[in-house]
Amino acid sequence: MSYQRVLLKLSGEALMGDLGYGIDPKIVADIAQEIAQVVNSGVQTAIVVGGGNIFRGMKASAAGMDRATADYIGMIATVMNAMTLQDALERIEIPTRVQTAIAMQEVAEPYIRRRAIRHLEKGRVVIFGAGSGNPFFTTDTTAALRAAEIDAEAIFKATKVDGVYDSDPKENPNAHRYQSLTYNHVLANELKVMDSTAIALCKENEIPIVVFNLLENGNITRALKGEPVGTVVGGHYEVN
């Protein structure tokens, strides 16, 4: 299956590579090259990027910081990542716009749904920063929300593993990797695909989720072109 409009969800941790903190420019450049191949093939591409390589709101909250304040700081971290990815894409001549849910007019556009769709129609990559603009929501939920708003055909969640397993493959060598799952199975078994709010949003709007390994060269291109990569979650699939 090939796609016309998709949303790519990148974790902040993906941008730091083997570093313990921050951003690895080579990793970002490699990701940009793969996204460029997808864009140049005609697929309209939106991106939601996390901020965990810089600041994790839930972790800070657990250490005593006010949860809302911690989440807002995390949202600002996602904008830093979005701008970094925008720079990498534009250095290879891929037109890119960053839209933020918190106003930062000197560095990014405000999030406006119709403007985002228009950018996509013109072949520009749109990176959504600052999460949903509200505390207590993850960037996974933001990805589901934005995908529904822009009528994306699928969400592609790039991770450090090659799909969804029934248990941790690092601890259990016999862990089973699923090829396909239903939303209900993910929710009932609390599988670590996305948080439950994000899964429920995808279920309600019938948006499939593809979980795949970001670290394998060429996987972004293969996944977004519709090749079978990783695990797919959706209402019309079987648990396999």
Side-chain angles (χ1 to χ4, degrees), residues 34-108:
E34 289 206 46
I35 293 171
Q37 293 181 43
V38 174
V39 174
N40 289 332
S41 72
V43 180
Q44 297 175 18
T45 307
I47 301 171
V48 168
V49 61
N53 57 319
I54 299 171
F55 188 90
R56 296 194 68 87
M58 292 185 69
K59 185 175 180 180
S61 175
M65 180 178 279
D66 174 73
R67 172 64 189 275
T69 300
D71 281 355
Y72 280 120
I73 296 171
M75 291 179 218
I76 294 169
T78 72
V79 179
M80 296 166 67
N81 284 338
M83 292 174 64
T84 300
L85 187 55
Q86 177 187 37
D87 176 75
L89 286 164
E90 293 195 332
R91 277 190 279 116
I92 54 175
E93 300 184 351
I94 299 298
T96 306
R97 300 290 186 271
V98 173
Q99 293 195 343
T100 61
I102 297 173
M104 299 183 186
Q105 61 266 27
E106 286 80 10
V107 297

Side-chain angles (χ1 to χ4, degrees), residues 20-21 30 33 45 48 50 53-55 80 92 105-106 117 121 127 133 135 138 169 172 174 182 185 187 191 222:
Y21 175 85
D30 289 345
Q33 287 286 352
T45 307
V48 168
N53 57 319
I54 299 171
F55 188 90
M80 296 166 67
I92 54 175
Q105 61 266 27
E106 286 80 10
I117 291 172
E121 291 172 344
I127 306 173
T138 67
N172 178 14
N174 297 316
T182 64
H185 187 87
L187 291 168
L191 297 179
R222 286 191 286 271

Side-chain angles (χ1 to χ4, degrees), residues 10 35 110 113 156 200 210 231:
L10 294 173
I35 293 171
R113 173 180 174 268
F156 290 84
V210 181
T231 302

Side-chain angles (χ1 to χ4, degrees), residues 164 176-182 185 230-232 237-240:
V164 181
H176 171 69
R177 182 173 71 85
Y178 296 102
Q179 292 182 320
S180 60
L181 287 165
T182 64
H185 187 87
T231 302
V232 60
Y237 296 94
E238 296 181 354
V239 178
N240 182 14

